Amino acid sequence: MRTHGKRASLLSRLGCAVVAAAALAACGSDRPAGGGQLDRAALGVTDATFADLKKLYRAALDEGGELVFYGTNHEVLAPVYEKFEKNFPGIKIETHQQTGAQQMASLQADRASGNHVADILQSPNALRYVNAGFAQPYEPPTFRDVKGIDGKVRDGLHDRQFRYSTPLFALFGIGVNTELINPAEVPRNWQDFADGKWAGKVLLHDPTVPGGGQGILTRLLLSNTVDEAWLAGIAHNSTLKGDYATAVQSLVRGEYPILLAAAGADLERSAGQGAPVKFLLMDKDNIGLADKWMLLDGAPHPQTAKLFLNYLYIDLGQQAIADIGNLPISGNARSPHNWPTFTDAKLADLPPEAEITAQNDRVVAILTRIFRRGS
Amino acid sequence: MVSGVKNALRNPQWSVAVVCAVCFVAPALMVVLGAFKVSAFGGDEWSTRMAGEVITSAQTRQVVLQTVTMGLAVVVISTVLAVIFAAIYAKTDAPLRGAIPVVMFAVIATPGLFFAISWGLLGNQHVGLVNTLLVGVFGDGARVVNTESWWGIVLVSSLRLVALQFFLLLGPFLAMDRSLHEAARTSGAGPLRTFFQIEVPVLAPAITGVMILGFVLFLEAFDAPQVLGVPAGIFVIPTEIYAYLSNSTGPQFAHASSISVLLMVVLLVLVLVQIRVLGRRSFVTVGGKEARAVRVDAGKAKWLFTGLILLFALLAIALPLFQLVLVSLSPFLGATAGFSLDNYTEVLTDPRMLSAYANTTVVAVVGGLLAVLAATAFAWSARFKAGKLARFIEFSQWLGLAMPGLILALGVLWLFLGVGFLTVFYGTPVIMVFALFVATIPIAGRATGAAMAQIPRSLEEAAWVSGAGKGRAIWDVVAKLMLPSLISGWVLCFVVICGILSTPLLLSAPGSNYLAVEIYSRYTEGKAPLAAAAALILLFGFLVIALLGWCARGLIRYR
């Protein structure tokens, strides 16, 4: 017992020494208490931005160095999170994979109980949560510094109060199985796929349920790229799959040669693993689903969340986004898949997000009428 | 007045009834109220509009009809198969009969989502392995299998349901008094007549119970209808609920709750039918030392039984597992080359996955044990004294099943947020264990209740007369006779809890990773091979547990 007591005493002294050393080191400009050193060169930011980030970093460590995310696609975004944790040592990200009803129920239960769990929510359907009052306004200073987007485009990436902002888009186009069809024979405009000659050759994630299929067809319709006659043609030509992963798998296995409304990141990942698939963009009217991020109202670690949101818009964060196969908004980020930048992607001219959300019910009713078979 | 209260306290049914009311009726009530709440959380506005929209919708009528006809087909097929396999295992000397529980265990342990996906791949009309084999043998015209169809859903759902029903019937089959069989044979009845005219009627409570359970489980099964039904334009109640909950402008909780209320009504009708059919007949079959199953020489039929076992193993295990293993070794879904163990390495070196395995094991062990013990207590108290209280205890447990996973989780959530002192448990493991307990107890109840129905109260009374206290009588008579059913019920609940997705998806505490959620996340994010590897590791864990249990049982018998 004595030995144990001595050891304990030694350990506690050693601990005190370490804490004292850490506290002293923290007095240095770049080494906040409890964390590591921020590397300005690695972050690739200006002095002013670095000072802002450092301040937030210190506050984040004071909050305990934890950050909790709600939303989806966390597995895909993991490299972006890891880069953040590496460059802002001492902060640990925890993710909760939730969508739709689960997500809404969790947010409402958090609010009703007063026990707020998450700091940040990431979702393409941000307005639903914004309108329900779950977001708090926050404009990341680094958002203004993003290169390569003009003012009007920039304004479309957030709402007026900055209750969300958009650091990236998921790019959707056509997936082809190169063993079944020569990519050169595949049309590069949406209209041609309604032609009867594609009957039985096209796969689509069921657009009557939320997901990629519904999101893309909704936007094609609302951008006036296609009309209801086109939808009827697609309904005739395509085979529906109940979930998106099954649709990708059917393409990869060679069940069908073409997947309409395929996410570029998924196809590039499969191709990188050796799958005989290729992702094709349209000559025009490409669809990008905006991935919106918001600081949650009542977030238990608000400063840490702000630090992360700022990280998403600096070059380091934007390049991390490009590396995982998404479309960052910065013109500085280079796609490893040779995709165009955000401004060169020839995206369809979409109405504002608020209008898309407002039109959702009407469009889904149309999609259900046209695509729901057996009813 | 005082003596009335004393009498009530002496009757343990009152305490159990209160527990049942809190555990089963309260969440169900919350769901019923949820059908009329304009705002799912907060707000005091009520309306019958949402329920009205659901009930009067032609779509709902069509979906209900589709679900009921499909459910009946599934239940008839699965129950017949489950009874056959339980009888083969418990009553015959057919070769390979010992493999039946292993096969059934593996079927239950395979996550429903992967079972559906595997069969979706195997039975694909264009590139499925089954059709490829058929075409190889019989030529191009033999491309006849298509799992993306009405019968495809029925087949896949039945194969999965057989396994659960088998385990629930196993206890009653094994506990049946052999004197019944011997008396029938002595009176000149053949083995088939003895089985159908003596043994099957005696097992009526267990069989009708698992039929109802099977029907209800199909009513809330989501995986097969979503993966196989949607491409064929076939919609059932669970996919309809999913459509309401994943509405593009936000989840319509009231509409989804309304369909769940419909499910509860269907369930109540089924339970009433069961009462009507079985009436107040006694189904006691255990008579002391004779309570051992007798195995008969099945003659030449035993080879037919062995063939059945092999065919079932092929369809329910070998083919889907082959497909699942193939996916787990693949670099991407559908790969035909580049197979490796990389996905297994990634799972086993990922701290998040490892903590998910640990958390899931603890929750499933504790939750399964709680469910079995509580179900035993409920079954015991229900027969303490016949009457309304007994019926309430018995049938309130079914309510947990009448609510599809997410709706049950919502009901529990509403309950915990609505009752002041329970709010502190929000965001803690308590709320999830509670919901899992409610979800699993009908299964535990089927495993223990039917076995208890076969133990006569006279055995307990004999113990009392001989000087044993109530506790000792329960332990020495009831618990020991029921031990095989209790253990199989616990294992069953453990496996079922490990695979439940919707409850942890909504209710798991921060920092508590849960395996079903991790697997689901990876699948939805396009990492199906990783998800398949994680699922197979879980399956392997189940098999190790089963093997250890088998060894332990052998050791006990040897001693």
Side-chain angles (χ1 to χ4, degrees):
Chain A
M1 284 298 287
R2 282 172 66 88
T3 313
H4 176 78
K6 271 186 182 174
R7 272 189 193 157
S9 173
L10 271 173
L11 280 174
S12 64
R13 282 179 198 172
L14 195 62
C16 289
V18 169
V19 170
L24 282 171
C27 296
S29 58
D30 299 343
R31 193 192 290 272
Q37 183 143 15
L38 291 187
D39 183 345
R40 187 158 71 89
L43 293 174
V45 293
T46 62
D47 284 346
T49 303
F50 186 64
D52 287 345
L53 292 180
K54 208 163 63 183
K55 199 170 155 191
L56 280 172
Y57 179 49
R58 283 190 183 137
L61 293 173
D62 288 345
E63 284 177 344
E66 285 178 34
L67 189 56
V68 183
F69 290 167
Y70 276 162
T72 184
N73 286 330
H74 295 308
E75 269 294 304
V76 175
L77 289 159
V80 178
Y81 302 162
E82 282 160 17
K83 199 170 258 189
F84 173 79
E85 288 173 336
K86 187 181 162 199
N87 284 279
F88 296 94
I91 298 177
K92 202 81 193 142
I93 291 174
E94 192 198 317
T95 58
H96 281 245
Q97 178 86 6
Q98 286 188 326
T99 55
Q102 286 98 342
Q103 185 63 86
M104 185 60 91
S106 288
L107 286 167
Q108 290 183 326
D110 287 356
R111 185 160 62 188
S113 67
N115 178 8
H116 292 276
V117 174
D119 303 294
I120 286 178
L121 170 64
Q122 157 266 333
S123 168
N125 302 314
L127 273 183
R128 180 189 302 169
Y129 305 108
V130 164
N131 292 338
F134 292 117
Q136 57 172 300
Y138 176 65
E139 179 181 356
T142 53
F143 178 78
R144 290 282 154 204
D145 300 332
V146 174
K147 301 285 187 297
I149 46 175
D150 63 33
K152 191 184 164 196
V153 173
R154 195 186 300 267
D155 288 344
L157 299 175
H158 59 87
D159 71 339
R160 197 171 293 167
Q161 296 91 358
F162 262 98
R163 290 171 299 179
Y164 74 83
S165 58
T166 309
L168 66 107
F169 283 75
L171 202 51
F172 282 79
I174 302 297
V176 295
N177 184 306
T178 52
E179 287 179 352
L180 297 181
I181 193 166
N182 180 352
E185 295 169 11
V186 179
R188 297 304 182 98
N189 66 81
W190 296 103
Q191 283 73 17
D192 286 0
F193 289 100
D195 190 301
K197 77 174 185 179
W198 297 105
K201 294 178 181 168
V202 178
L203 275 167
L204 182 64
H205 174 205
D206 183 6
T208 66
V209 298
Q214 188 180 93
I216 304 314
L217 295 197
T218 299
R219 280 157 180 79
L220 285 173
L221 200 62
L222 292 179
S223 64
N224 294 320
T225 305
V226 301
D227 54 19
E228 286 192 37
W230 182 84
L231 290 176
I234 294 297
H236 173 260
N237 290 349
S238 59
T239 297
L240 304 185
K241 291 291 176 183
D243 69 273
Y244 177 70
T246 310
V248 174
Q249 165 200 295
S250 296
L251 178 79
V252 170
R253 280 166 53 90
E255 195 182 330
Y256 294 88
I258 294 169
L259 171 60
L260 269 185
D266 296 330
L267 269 284
E268 293 294 356
R269 191 169 57 239
S270 294
Q273 290 164 332
V277 292
K278 191 170 171 61
F279 176 68
L280 303 177
L281 280 167
M282 298 287 124
D283 290 335
K284 59 175 185 170
D285 298 323
N286 288 303
I287 298 292
L289 276 187
D291 204 32
K292 307 172 194 79
W293 293 65
M294 63 184 78
L295 174 59
L296 287 170
D297 193 32
H301 314 102
Q303 302 308 316
T304 320
K306 287 175 182 175
L307 177 68
F308 183 85
L309 291 174
N310 276 283
Y311 155 77
L312 285 178
Y313 296 102
I314 63 177
D315 284 350
L316 185 75
Q318 287 284 293
Q319 188 57 51
I321 289 167
D323 290 343
I324 59 166
N326 278 310
L327 188 64
I329 59 170
S330 168
N332 284 354
R334 289 285 164 260
S335 163
H337 313 295
N338 294 320
W339 290 356
T341 60
F342 171 64
T343 47
D344 297 333
K346 295 183 182 163
L347 297 176
D349 192 14
L350 288 169
E353 278 295 325
E355 193 183 327
I356 294 177
T357 304
Q359 296 279 348
N360 240 334
D361 268 354
R362 184 181 69 81
V363 175
V364 171
I366 294 170
L367 293 174
T368 303
R369 172 165 50 79
I370 294 174
F371 283 91
R372 186 148 180 171
R373 290 156 192 184
S375 58
Chain B
M1 174 75 183
V2 175
S3 67
V5 171
K6 276 184 181 171
N7 281 339
L9 288 174
R10 244 183 255 135
N11 182 355
Q13 287 181 324
W14 280 105
S15 330
V16 173
V18 169
V19 173
C20 286
V22 172
C23 290
F24 312 114
V25 180
L29 192 64
M30 288 293 168
V31 171
V32 174
L33 292 176
F36 303 103
K37 277 193 89 173
V38 173
S39 171
F41 293 83
D44 293 324
E45 212 180 324
W46 301 84
S47 170
T48 55
R49 179 181 57 82
M50 297 81 74
E53 280 174 7
V54 169
I55 292 165
T56 56
S57 153
Q59 180 97 3
T60 304
R61 282 197 294 277
Q62 190 194 23
V63 163
V64 168
L65 190 67
Q66 177 87 281
T67 311
V68 170
T69 51
M70 199 174 265
L72 286 174
V74 168
V75 166
V76 167
I77 293 171
S78 66
T79 309
V80 167
L81 286 173
V83 168
I84 288 172
F85 284 120
I88 291 174
Y89 181 76
K91 306 214 157 281
T92 76
D93 60 348
L96 292 182
R97 52 169 281 280
I100 299 176
V102 180
V103 172
M104 299 297 181
F105 187 73
V107 173
I108 292 178
T110 309
L113 181 66
F114 281 101
F115 198 76
I117 291 170
S118 292
W119 263 107
L121 295 170
L122 287 165
N124 186 282
Q125 207 168 16
H126 302 274
V127 291
L129 180 69
V130 174
N131 280 313
T132 307
L133 289 175
L134 286 174
V135 168
V137 177
F138 301 107
D140 268 346
R143 201 180 287 278
V144 290
V145 176
N146 180 13
T147 41
E148 290 179 359
S149 65
W150 199 91
W151 281 108
I153 301 170
V154 169
L155 170 80
V156 172
S157 305
S158 303
L159 285 176
R160 245 184 101 69
L161 208 51
V162 167
L164 188 66
Q165 289 180 316
F166 167 81
F167 279 113
L168 296 176
L169 287 172
L170 197 55
F173 264 89
L174 288 173
M176 184 178 283
D177 194 334
R178 69 178 172 196
S179 59
L180 282 174
H181 177 90
E182 284 164 0
R185 295 305 304 274
T186 309
S187 307
L192 275 180
R193 193 172 166 197
T194 304
F195 179 68
F196 284 110
Q197 291 196 348
I198 304 294
E199 293 175 346
V200 168
V202 163
L203 290 165
I207 293 173
T208 53
V210 296
M211 280 185 88
I212 293 176
L213 181 77
F215 190 78
V216 175
L217 284 175
F218 175 78
L219 288 183
E220 63 165 25
F222 175 73
D223 305 318
Q226 181 68 11
V227 174
L228 305 173
V230 171
I234 297 166
F235 291 84
V236 291
I237 289 177
T239 41
E240 197 67 7
I241 289 176
Y242 174 71
Y244 281 124
L245 288 177
S246 53
N247 187 277
S248 55
T249 49
Q252 296 179 314
F253 292 115
H255 293 78
S257 295
S258 300
I259 296 199
S260 294
V261 174
L262 277 182
L263 272 182
M264 284 187 225
V265 172
V266 171
L267 179 76
L268 282 175
V269 170
L270 286 173
V271 170
L272 288 174
V273 168
Q274 191 194 28
I275 294 171
R276 188 99 180 158
V277 170
L278 301 180
R280 292 176 187 278
R281 291 162 59 194
S282 170
F283 295 91
V284 165
T285 62
V286 175
K289 288 189 176 178
E290 293 301 310
R292 282 179 198 158
V294 63
R295 295 214 171 87
V296 295
D297 180 1
K300 285 180 182 171
K302 67 184 173 190
W303 298 112
L304 174 70
F305 295 152
T306 304
L308 260 178
I309 296 167
L310 286 174
L311 181 65
F312 184 80
L314 178 75
L315 294 177
I317 287 296
L319 286 174
L321 264 190
F322 170 76
Q323 190 70 57
L324 194 56
V325 169
L326 205 63
V327 171
S328 74
L329 297 173
S330 310
F332 56 88
L333 252 178
T336 51
F339 298 113
S340 73
L341 292 171
D342 288 356
N343 294 312
Y344 291 90
T345 309
E346 193 172 335
V347 169
L348 292 173
T349 52
D350 181 353
R352 193 179 169 102
M353 288 300 280
L354 294 178
S355 84
Y357 278 109
N359 287 336
T360 305
T361 305
V362 171
V363 167
V365 166
V366 175
L369 184 62
L370 279 177
V372 167
L373 292 178
T376 309
F378 294 165
W380 178 81
S381 75
R383 72 176 199 161
F384 189 81
K385 192 175 167 187
K388 286 179 182 170
L389 267 184
R391 288 214 176 140
F392 173 76
I393 292 168
E394 201 171 336
F395 297 118
S396 63
Q397 297 167 51
W398 283 94
L399 286 170
L401 262 192
M403 296 174 275
L406 185 60
I407 297 291
L408 168 66
L410 270 174
V412 169
L413 195 57
W414 285 329
L415 176 69
F416 274 67
L417 293 178
V419 179
F421 73 95
L422 290 177
T423 309
V424 292
F425 294 112
Y426 177 70
T428 71
V430 174
I431 188 169
M432 190 171 84
V433 172
F434 179 84
L436 288 172
F437 171 76
V438 175
T440 344
I441 212 150
I443 293 168
R446 288 306 93 199
T448 57
M452 186 167 281
Q454 292 174 288
I455 301 172
R457 275 210 80 193
S458 58
L459 287 182
E460 260 183 283
E461 285 160 3
W464 298 343
V465 170
S466 307
K470 276 186 183 171
R472 181 155 179 210
I474 291 171
W475 176 251
D476 282 354
V477 178
V478 180
K480 286 190 176 170
L481 279 172
M482 285 181 67
L483 200 57
S485 294
L486 289 180
I487 292 174
S488 69
W490 186 11
V491 172
L492 198 59
C493 290
F494 172 83
V495 172
V496 169
I497 289 176
C498 284
I500 291 179
L501 171 67
S502 45
T503 306
L505 207 54
L506 185 61
L507 300 177
S508 62
S512 300
N513 304 322
Y514 202 80
L515 196 59
V517 178
E518 295 299 318
I519 289 175
Y520 174 74
S521 301
R522 277 151 188 79
Y523 174 73
T524 55
E525 292 177 354
K527 294 187 174 177
L530 212 58
L536 279 168
I537 291 170
L538 178 70
L539 193 58
F540 181 73
F542 289 156
L543 288 177
V544 169
I545 290 168
L547 198 66
L548 287 175
W550 182 72
C551 290
R553 203 176 63 169
L555 204 66
I556 291 166
R557 277 187 184 166
Y558 177 74
R559 282 185 174 173

